[in-house]
Each structure stands twice: as structure tokens, then as C-alpha cells.
Amino acid sequence: MKLSTRYLLNTLGGAYLVAATAIGALLWLLHMLENLEQGLSGSADLLLAGLSALRQLPEGLIDLLPVITVLATAAAMGSLQARNELTILRVSGLSIWRLTGLALIPGLVVSLLALSALQWVTPEIRQSPERLLGASLGESGLWHPSHGLWIRSGNEFLNVQELRLGRIPTGINLYQFAEDGQLQRQIRAGDALVRPDGRWLLEDVRIRDFNASPEAYFERLDSLSWDSFLTARQLELLLLPPASLALSDLWQYVGGLKQRGQDVAEFEMVLWKRLALPLTCLVMVLAAMATAAVPLKSRAVSVRLVGALVLGLGFQMLTELATYLGLLLNWPVMVVALAPPFFLAGLAWWLLARAR
């Protein structure tokens, strides 16, 4: 590896580290302030609030990875240009296309690391059903690794053995008791699909009615709709949000919803935005290099940093706006997820071609 190439990559690596540290510190502070608004009773709660904010950092940094990418690339190129090193590199034979190719390497590496983290790291950081062992359930809920989740409401007891893919209750047993404590009905189901209105669509259902005649004692159904007694807060804690699922689990979950004919737009949008992360980061590098290739009368690095920050945040807002409009107007998910980065890539490529 040439000395100039090694120097450029080291400069870019340092810029990525500084940008990620700065944005990470800001994110941690915002999460910490959000946790402090809930009230603290002592130093132990303050420590727990800090740890909770720290657990939210990886996913937040991944969501803002395009901003980090464009900010780091612009900072590195701006500092090189301020010291006339970028001009020296170009005079030594490194064209703007060669410099752009080298700048794409760190962007590709960090985006692939982010995808790996989304598959194996962030799902583990997210709390599993033990989150239900809080004040939201009071004394009506219990979770045990061997026996699953137990929740009581009045004379009904719900047991869920596990949550497949983080969102599909599996191994369900529902026990309904009379006022005198006698078991009246037991409902078993292989798994359930939780609908947006809170209802559960139980599948592969077996019902035992202990008050019925011997002929009607046992009944087997393909599916059964059950009005769940879980509150909206309990249901929110029980089911992992789509963004916290591993990529493979999210892919399987979307496929399962499509097979059942359910609405998958929200989950599919999250999936494709995650899969498009490497493309988005590479486009951010192209955009930063396009701005670096345009000579400025003022060589102040701050000018390029502000421009890069505006570009990154603007692109992030544009992407979120396109996502909301796509979900509202039922636009094709892949088009909504991939159109913004392709548009920005075309614009950056045109600017680079003009600067050549």
C-alpha cells in the first residue's frame, strides 16, 4: 500500500472515530435527559438511567450512520484541503475518482459492520420478555426462562412459552376459571398473530370445555380470534419493535405476514431501509467527496462541516418524509426505500464529473 493511500485511510478512520464519538455523546445525553424526566429516587436510579441510555446508543448510532459518514468524510477532506494536502495528492497522480474510491472503503466497512451489529448485537442488547417484570404488570405477571410468561387478569391466566422472532407468541395456554376457582375452559394454541387492534389470532387451536357434554368436551379449530386482556402498554413491552429484530428474524416475519395476507408495509419498510444502509453510506461518501471537489475561496473546514451536516440531516429528514408518505399512500416499499439514495448518488456523480 502506498504511503499516500495509507495516510488518506488513516485520516478518514480518525475522522469516523471523532464523528461517531461526538454524535454518540450527544445521543447518550439526549437519552439520559429523557430517562431523567421519569423521575429518580436515588443514586442507584441515576446509574440505571445512565446504563439504559448507554444500551440505546448502538441502535441510535446505526440509525444516524449516514450522517456520521458524510460528516467524517467531509471533515477529513476539508482538513486535507485546508493544509493543501488534497492538492498535493491530486498533483501526485491521485485523481478525484481514485480519491473517491479510497474514501468509499471506510464507508463500506462501517456499513457492513452496522449490518452485522443489526443481526447479532442490537437484538441481544434489547431486553427480552424480562422487561415485563416491572411496574407495568405489578403482581399480575411473571416470566421464567423455563416456563415462559404468565399473566393474570381476573379469572383468566395466560401462559406464553416463548416469543418466536421477537413478535410471535408461541406455545400459548389460556386458562379460564369460575368464581369458585374451578377450571372451566382451557385453550391451547400453537402460535398467535397479534393484530394492531390488540386482538390475537390464535392458530392450531385446541379447546377443552370442562362444563360441556362429553361430545363437546374437546374441540379443535384452525384459528380463533381472542380479545386479549393485555393493556396497550403491556403489549408494547411484550412485542419487540420491528427495528429491534435481527435482520434474519425480520425477513422471516415479513414473509410470514405475507403468507397470512396481513399488512406488511411498516415491517417491510424497516427491513429495506436496513438492507439499503450500505448503499446509503456509500452515497453519503459520494456527496461529501462532491462537495470537497468544489474549490472554495475560503479554506475553512467549518464551512464544509456545516454543509456536510446540513446535507446529512436533510437527507435523513427526506428519507423519513418519504417513508411516511409511502406508508400513507401505499407506494411500493422498495421504491420508497431506494429512491432517495439513488437520486442523491446521481447528483453527487454529476458534481464529481464536473469537478474532474
Side-chain angles (χ1 to χ4, degrees), residues 95-115:
S95 66
I96 188 64
W97 295 112
R98 174 63 175 167
L99 290 172
T100 302
L102 293 175
L104 288 173
I105 296 176
L108 180 61
V109 170
V110 297
S111 62
L112 292 179
L113 289 176
L115 286 183

Side-chain angles (χ1 to χ4, degrees), residues 207-337:
I207 303 175
R208 285 184 172 87
D209 191 341
F210 297 96
N211 292 331
S213 61
E215 294 80 10
Y217 167 75
F218 180 81
E219 185 178 7
R220 186 164 186 171
L221 303 174
D222 291 334
S223 62
L224 175 68
S225 181
W226 173 56
D227 292 327
S228 170
F229 55 73
L230 271 70
T231 66
R233 176 60 177 165
Q234 291 173 344
L235 188 60
E236 177 186 352
L237 291 173
L238 176 64
L239 302 181
L240 293 175
S244 67
L245 298 180
L247 292 177
S248 58
D249 290 346
L250 187 57
W251 181 278
Q252 295 179 40
Y253 186 67
V254 168
L257 289 180
K258 286 183 176 180
Q259 290 179 357
R260 294 181 174 93
Q262 301 294 319
D263 183 19
V264 299
E266 178 185 357
F267 303 97
E268 196 171 14
M269 185 71 73
V270 173
L271 175 63
W272 280 106
K273 286 178 67 175
R274 297 297 200 196
L275 294 178
L277 188 60
L279 173 63
T280 305
C281 290
L282 295 182
V283 167
M284 288 288 102
V285 173
L286 289 177
M289 291 300 299
T291 59
V294 178
L296 294 178
K297 293 182 180 180
S298 172
R299 296 178 180 272
V301 179
S302 59
V303 177
R304 299 191 185 276
L305 289 183
V306 172
L309 188 59
V310 171
L311 176 63
L313 293 178
F315 179 81
Q316 201 78 357
M317 294 176 63
L318 175 64
T319 302
E320 293 299 325
L321 178 61
T323 298
Y324 287 128
L325 289 177
L327 293 175
L328 181 64
L329 302 177
N330 294 322
W331 290 346
V333 172
M334 288 185 61
V335 174
V336 174

Side-chain angles (χ1 to χ4, degrees), residues 132-194:
L132 290 169
L133 295 175
S136 60
L137 284 180
E139 298 179 354
S140 64
L142 175 66
W143 187 89
H144 189 275
S146 302
H147 308 292
L149 173 69
W150 284 88
I151 304 177
R152 175 187 177 183
S153 176
N155 295 325
E156 284 188 313
F157 290 79
L158 172 66
N159 172 229
V160 178
Q161 292 295 321
E162 63 174 336
L163 289 175
R164 183 163 53 88
L165 304 181
R167 295 188 61 88
I168 303 178
T170 304
I172 302 164
N173 287 281
L174 180 64
Y175 302 93
Q176 299 172 342
F177 291 84
E179 294 296 335
D180 58 0
Q182 295 293 323
L183 180 61
Q184 290 185 324
R185 200 177 185 211
Q186 178 193 9
I187 301 176
R188 276 189 166 184
D191 52 34
L193 178 65
V194 181

Side-chain angles (χ1 to χ4, degrees), residues 24-40 45-54 56-57:
L26 179 60
L27 283 177
W28 180 86
L29 181 59
L30 292 176
H31 290 315
M32 187 66 177
L33 292 175
E34 184 180 349
N35 293 334
L36 291 178
E37 289 179 356
Q38 302 175 4
L40 300 177
D45 287 348
L46 181 62
L47 179 60
L48 290 177
L51 292 176
S52 176
L54 193 61
Q56 295 174 281
L57 266 187

Side-chain angles (χ1 to χ4, degrees), residues 50-122:
L51 292 176
S52 176
L54 193 61
R55 281 197 299 267
Q56 295 174 281
L57 266 187
E59 190 173 333
L61 286 174
I62 292 174
D63 289 336
L64 291 178
L65 189 57
V67 179
I68 295 174
T69 301
V70 70
L71 190 59
T73 306
M77 294 300 160
S79 63
L80 290 176
Q81 192 169 57
R83 299 191 299 266
N84 293 319
E85 293 175 343
L86 188 61
T87 303
I88 296 174
L89 289 174
R90 296 190 65 175
V91 171
S92 65
L94 288 177
S95 66
I96 188 64
W97 295 112
R98 174 63 175 167
L99 290 172
T100 302
L102 293 175
L104 288 173
I105 296 176
L108 180 61
V109 170
V110 297
S111 62
L112 292 179
L113 289 176
L115 286 183
S116 301
L118 288 173
Q119 174 64 30
W120 292 292
V121 179
T122 56

